[in-house]
Amino acid sequence: MKKSIITTAIALCVSVISVNALNSTPSITTDSSYEYFFKVNSFCVSIAKGDLDTVKKLIERGADVNERSNGMTPAMYAAKFNRVDILKLLIDEGANLKLRCTSKNYTAVKYAELHGAKDAAQLIKETLKKKKKK
């Protein structure tokens, strides 16, 4: 009798835990906020990782250096993660450094400053000064 009561109690606990786990797990496919959060294109992921070779290949294949991904431009990702070599490439390919993020209204230089990316911030400021003089 003791064994059957203990076995039943354990089975009940496991089933309750399983049901709670299923109910608390967010569903990426049904919740639109999760879908939006995770939609970063491969171009911007490569920038964030610092994969210069892949970024070059994607640009050669026609990737738009101003196309937003999750509200941010490629230059914003490069600035945020202090990817100066990639940022230089994006600028050379025509990246617009004055564009603003759709969600926070930040520019690339603001992302660099917020994340302590001093080299990227300096490069952006110098580039904007040069373009202003022209």
Side-chain angles (χ1 to χ4, degrees), residues 39-59:
K39 284 191 176 179
V40 177
N41 65 29
S42 59
F43 186 49
C44 291
V45 169
S46 298
I47 292 168
K49 288 182 176 181
D51 189 350
L52 181 61
D53 293 332
T54 301
V55 172
K56 285 179 182 179
K57 288 176 186 174
L58 290 170
I59 290 173

Side-chain angles (χ1 to χ4, degrees), residues 55-96:
V55 172
K56 285 179 182 179
K57 288 176 186 174
L58 290 170
I59 290 173
E60 288 172 8
R61 293 182 180 169
D64 183 356
V65 295
N66 290 308
E67 182 180 350
R68 296 175 193 274
S69 179
N70 203 17
M72 295 171 54
T73 65
M76 291 174 193
Y77 282 99
K80 179 178 178 178
F81 293 101
N82 204 31
R83 308 294 187 205
V84 178
D85 51 346
I86 295 174
L87 188 56
K88 287 178 185 176
L89 175 64
L90 294 171
I91 292 168
D92 291 343
E93 294 293 327
N96 184 345

Side-chain angles (χ1 to χ4, degrees), residues 12-55:
L12 182 60
C13 289
V14 169
S15 65
V16 169
I17 291 170
S18 297
V19 169
N20 285 338
L22 288 174
N23 288 336
S24 67
T25 304
S27 175
I28 294 173
T29 57
T30 59
D31 187 355
S32 61
S33 64
Y34 280 96
E35 280 182 3
Y36 178 75
F37 182 77
F38 289 107
K39 284 191 176 179
V40 177
N41 65 29
S42 59
F43 186 49
C44 291
V45 169
S46 298
I47 292 168
K49 288 182 176 181
D51 189 350
L52 181 61
D53 293 332
T54 301
V55 172

Side-chain angles (χ1 to χ4, degrees), residues 123-134:
L123 175 63
I124 294 168
K125 289 175 183 178
E126 289 173 1
T127 303
L128 289 172
K129 282 181 185 177
K130 287 178 186 175
K131 287 184 178 184
K132 193 174 185 180
K133 289 181 182 180
K134 288 183 180 182

Side-chain angles (χ1 to χ4, degrees), residues 95-111:
N96 184 345
L97 300 174
K98 294 182 181 180
L99 292 177
R100 294 185 171 272
C101 176
T102 57
S103 61
K104 297 180 181 177
N105 205 31
Y106 294 160
T107 61
V109 72
K110 180 69 174 179
Y111 274 106

